[in-house]
Amino acid sequence: MTESQKRQQQAKVLRISRKLHRTTGALLFVFFLFISVTGLLLGWKKNSGGLLLPKSYKGTSTNLADWLPLDSLHKNACRIVRDSISPELSLELERIDVRKDKGMVKFVFADHFWGVQLDGATGKLLHIEQRRSDFIEKIHDGSLLDFYAGTSDGQIKLVYTTITGLALLLFTVTGFWLWYGPRRMRQRAASRS
């Protein structure tokens, strides 16, 4: 292959890379905007002063022997959700966080973005929390669409993360080539002179 043919081949690869980079960026602009903004928010959630990630409150005892049984604490949390937030909300649990070192139990509900922190020993309410960071995380990874569509196995999230992950990989490769390709062509031209 002659030098002229090599140069033409490199120029062709650059044009293809530029077109792929530009087209993919234009098609997935909104997704990348959401991913970048929510990623920033998630990175700052612990430093948001309780706005994104609720503060963990302290209970009266860190000794598990002093604590009420989990089923009693769960009943208290459900009653608080019904009485203080809405009687219409589902009481299905996503998880129970036992914070022994804080003397606190946190009940996080599956079908909405609310949580309840209770004193492990007394069962008294420490805090009702709106789980903004969970909502932001679901936007970030695409599972919010599964949440509202009611899909069971995260199919939408899987498609979303596959497309955006492959696009970011494509951006990395084409972006590198758009930076490196012209340099390489200039170096070759300079070495021939």
Side-chain angles (χ1 to χ4, degrees):
M1 185 179 281
T2 68
E3 250 341 281
S4 174
Q5 289 173 324
K6 285 180 184 178
R7 189 166 172 78
Q8 287 176 348
Q9 184 70 24
Q10 283 182 333
K12 182 179 179 182
V13 170
L14 275 172
R15 281 191 301 276
I16 292 169
S17 293
R18 192 173 293 114
K19 186 173 183 174
L20 276 171
H21 201 83
R22 185 177 41 235
T23 304
T24 306
L27 289 173
L28 298 175
F29 168 78
V30 172
F31 294 113
F32 290 128
L33 179 66
F34 280 124
I35 289 170
S36 63
V37 170
T38 56
L40 278 169
L41 290 172
L42 289 171
W44 279 89
K45 72 183 178 183
K46 288 186 179 178
N47 301 15
S48 69
L51 180 65
L52 300 177
L53 185 68
K55 176 185 164 193
S56 292
Y57 290 80
K58 288 190 175 233
T60 55
S61 174
T62 58
N63 183 355
L64 291 176
D66 297 337
W67 284 25
L68 294 172
L70 264 182
D71 67 328
S72 296
L73 293 168
H74 177 240
K75 286 176 187 168
N76 284 1
C78 291
R79 182 185 45 75
I80 290 166
V81 167
R82 292 276 191 229
D83 294 346
S84 301
I85 303 171
S86 171
E88 307 300 319
L89 290 178
S90 164
L91 298 176
E92 183 180 337
L93 283 175
E94 179 180 314
R95 68 181 180 273
I96 301 172
D97 289 340
V98 176
R99 305 282 175 94
K100 179 186 178 295
D101 61 322
K102 294 202 179 252
M104 179 266 290
V105 180
K106 185 183 297 189
F107 293 87
V108 179
F109 296 90
D111 296 330
H112 46 84
F113 298 99
W114 289 96
V116 175
Q117 294 182 32
L118 299 179
D119 183 309
T122 66
K124 290 185 180 175
L125 175 65
L126 295 173
H127 184 64
I128 296 174
E129 54 190 44
Q130 194 165 18
R131 311 237 354 126
R132 292 179 187 95
S133 62
D134 291 356
F135 180 76
I136 292 167
E137 188 175 318
K138 286 186 184 301
I139 293 172
H140 184 74
D141 69 9
S143 61
L144 187 69
L145 298 171
D146 284 312
F147 180 78
Y148 285 119
T151 54
S152 59
D153 293 332
Q155 299 93 332
I156 297 171
K157 175 185 174 180
L158 184 62
V159 170
Y160 174 83
T161 55
T162 300
I163 290 170
T164 55
L166 289 173
L168 286 171
L169 182 62
L170 178 70
F171 280 164
T172 303
V173 172
T174 58
F176 175 78
W177 189 252
L178 289 172
W179 169 79
Y180 179 69
R183 284 178 167 31
R184 186 173 169 199
M185 289 175 73
R186 283 192 295 273
Q187 287 172 348
R188 280 194 165 171
S191 69
R192 283 182 292 150
S193 301

